[in-house]
Amino acid sequence: MTQPPSIPPEYPEPTGGPAHPDAAQVPPGRPPVPGPRQPHIPPQEPPYPQPPQYPTAAPQPPQYPTAAAQPPPYPAGPQPPQYPGAGPAPHYPSAPQPQPPYPHAAAAPPSPYPQTSAVPPPASPLHPHHIDTARGRVHVSSRQRHTDATAFGNLLLHLPNFLCSLIVVALVSLVLGDFGLLVILVWLASGALVFHRPTESALARHLLRLRYPTPQERATLEPVWREVTARAGVEGRAYELWVEDSDSLNAVAAAGHIVGVTSFALNRLPNGELAAVMAHELGHHVGGHAWSGLLGHWYALPGRIAWRLLRAVTGFLFHVSRAFSCLGVAFFGLCVGGIAFATISTLYGLPLLLLGMPYALAAVGRRSELRADRHAAALGFAPMLAAVLEKLHQQEQETEQARLAAAGQGGGEPPKEKAASRLLSSHPDYHTRLHHLQEYLQPAR
């Protein structure tokens, strides 16, 4: 039996509307009415929702400011207070500059040397050359004095003068007869008066023009002298301090116990520089320069007196001979020449040595000054002594300029010292003395 073809079951249409636009609308709840057969159309799959459309280009990142953000300002720390000295100095009205009295007068050239700060006064403890004189225990050396080579040389160089003086005293003693030998002995023993204190005092007052210091001057001198002698290990009370009223920078060591300074050195120098001056004079005493020089001068005194008398008599006879024209002068020259030749021959040329003695004694004196400088420098007064020598050099230059101005030669160059004057000088020049102090002025390594 033939089966009718199977009819697929009817699927309900979705509620949202007909599945196809040509399909008949069937009201709901009513069975479908069979109608003419429609060709079979396979069911179509329901359309799926399309995915959302995204932009093909990648989204641009948000635009940020290119410059880095500045950090927020923080409050600064408290400012230090402004002091009056930190700011600019207030401007004060300057006093009007004084006009030169003459318009054509040229202004003074500026000084080529740098301006230095003001130096404290000499009596001030702030002065660079001030020393402390407060000292406790003092060590005194067992050897207070000695005789160095310059003292021996001084005595040897005075030996010809001593022999000439002995001849003069012997000639004078011949006149006295039996007392002649006593006169010679007394004169030989008179050299001991150099160390006699009353004789020294008379010598200081009448020959050197010194005086005793006042209480105020002694209050200045004694502490300085105590410091000097303490450093040297010398008994300071064995010496006497004297003062010379003078406006020049100078000091003196004489006889066996005299130490004198000028009032200028006492009042114008700092106590350190005054100590350097006194240490220099102490060096003359310790080395034997003072007593040997005075002793030689004392024994040469009769010969010097005789020499001066001989020069005076010779000068008088020369003026008398000029009254008799050239013949009288020639006769006088022959007489003097004959006497001189006989004297030189009799004394084996000893008088010729007297012509070179002043130069030799001056050379020994210059050497003794350098030794005294070395003594002061060894005690620690080298810088002070150099300052004193500088002041002494300036004072000598001012004195020379004043002398030239008084002679009407001001404004020109001072004349150079002659070679003979330098050889007869008893003190070395400033540059030589400063050169010998260099080893004490250099800092210790």
Side-chain angles (χ1 to χ4, degrees):
M1 185 176 197
T2 305
Q3 295 293 335
S6 60
I7 301 172
E10 297 289 341
Y11 291 95
E13 294 291 339
T15 358
H20 196 272
D22 296 335
Q25 299 295 331
V26 180
R30 183 178 294 181
V33 179
R37 181 170 299 191
Q38 300 290 338
H40 175 74
I41 300 174
Q44 295 182 1
E45 295 180 1
Y48 291 95
Q50 296 295 328
Q53 297 293 329
Y54 295 98
T56 57
Q60 297 295 331
Q63 298 295 328
Y64 294 100
T66 56
Q70 298 294 333
Y74 294 96
Q79 297 294 331
Q82 297 292 332
Y83 296 96
H91 177 72
Y92 297 99
S94 58
Q97 298 295 331
Q99 297 296 330
Y102 300 101
H104 60 274
S111 175
Y113 302 100
Q115 299 295 330
T116 57
S117 57
V119 180
S124 173
L126 301 178
H127 196 280
H129 290 164
H130 179 84
I131 61 173
D132 185 14
T133 56
R135 181 179 288 271
R137 180 178 298 180
V138 176
H139 171 72
V140 178
S141 176
S142 58
R143 187 182 182 186
Q144 297 289 301
R145 294 171 181 262
H146 64 276
T147 304
D148 58 17
T150 56
F152 275 117
N154 198 5
L155 292 175
L156 289 177
L157 290 175
H158 275 99
L159 185 59
N161 295 331
F162 168 77
L163 295 178
C164 291
S165 297
L166 181 60
I167 293 173
V168 172
V169 172
L171 293 176
V172 172
S173 63
L174 294 177
V175 181
L176 300 177
D178 297 337
F179 296 96
L181 182 60
L182 182 61
V183 170
I184 296 176
L185 295 177
V186 170
W187 176 73
L188 292 176
S190 63
L193 295 176
V194 172
F195 304 98
H196 186 236
R197 289 298 184 91
T199 306
E200 288 184 1
S201 299
L203 177 67
R205 283 194 300 267
H206 302 292
L207 185 61
L208 302 178
R209 303 297 180 183
L210 303 178
R211 61 172 176 83
Y212 285 112
T214 63
Q216 292 81 7
E217 294 172 339
R218 190 174 293 276
T220 303
L221 284 174
E222 287 186 349
V224 176
W225 179 246
R226 190 183 308 114
E227 175 67 19
V228 171
T229 54
R231 293 190 185 188
V234 175
E235 179 58 54
R237 292 173 294 182
Y239 300 89
E240 291 185 358
L241 302 178
W242 297 78
V243 176
E244 178 186 1
D245 293 321
S246 175
D247 294 332
S248 61
L249 177 55
N250 198 6
V252 62
H257 310 89
I258 296 175
V259 176
V261 297
T262 60
S263 56
F264 178 90
L266 179 62
N267 299 322
R268 301 291 184 86
L269 296 182
N271 66 344
E273 297 179 7
L274 180 61
V277 173
M278 302 182 79
H280 173 89
E281 303 306 328
L282 179 63
H284 285 306
H285 279 296
V286 172
H289 311 154
W291 68 264
S292 63
L294 182 60
L295 189 64
H297 179 80
W298 172 257
Y299 281 123
L301 193 57
R304 293 184 177 182
I305 294 176
W307 172 251
R308 291 183 179 182
L309 290 175
L310 182 61
R311 288 181 58 186
V313 172
T314 304
F316 174 75
L317 293 177
F318 177 75
H319 286 290
V320 171
S321 64
R322 293 178 62 183
F324 298 96
S325 69
C326 295
L327 184 61
V329 175
F331 178 76
F332 174 77
L334 290 175
C335 293
V336 172
I339 295 174
F341 179 77
T343 305
I344 294 172
S345 301
T346 306
L347 300 178
Y348 303 99
L350 182 62
L352 294 178
L353 296 177
L354 300 178
L355 299 178
M357 284 299 105
Y359 298 96
L361 289 173
V364 173
R366 290 192 296 269
R367 179 58 57 180
S368 65
E369 293 295 329
L370 295 178
R371 285 182 175 268
D373 287 347
R374 186 178 303 174
H375 177 268
L379 297 181
F381 299 113
M384 297 79 164
L385 185 60
V388 171
L389 293 178
E390 174 67 24
K391 294 178 180 178
L392 184 61
H393 181 60
Q394 292 179 358
Q395 194 176 75
E396 290 176 352
Q397 288 183 334
E398 293 175 357
T399 304
E400 182 66 19
Q401 291 177 358
R403 187 185 66 82
L404 293 177
Q409 302 178 3
E413 295 184 0
K416 295 183 179 180
E417 189 178 7
K418 297 180 180 179
S421 300
R422 291 197 301 267
L423 292 176
L424 289 174
S425 177
S426 61
H427 285 68
D429 60 277
Y430 161 72
H431 302 285
T432 302
R433 299 179 72 173
L434 195 62
H435 171 73
H436 284 80
L437 288 178
Q438 289 302 315
E439 59 177 320
Y440 298 96
L441 296 174
Q442 295 176 354
R445 296 181 180 178

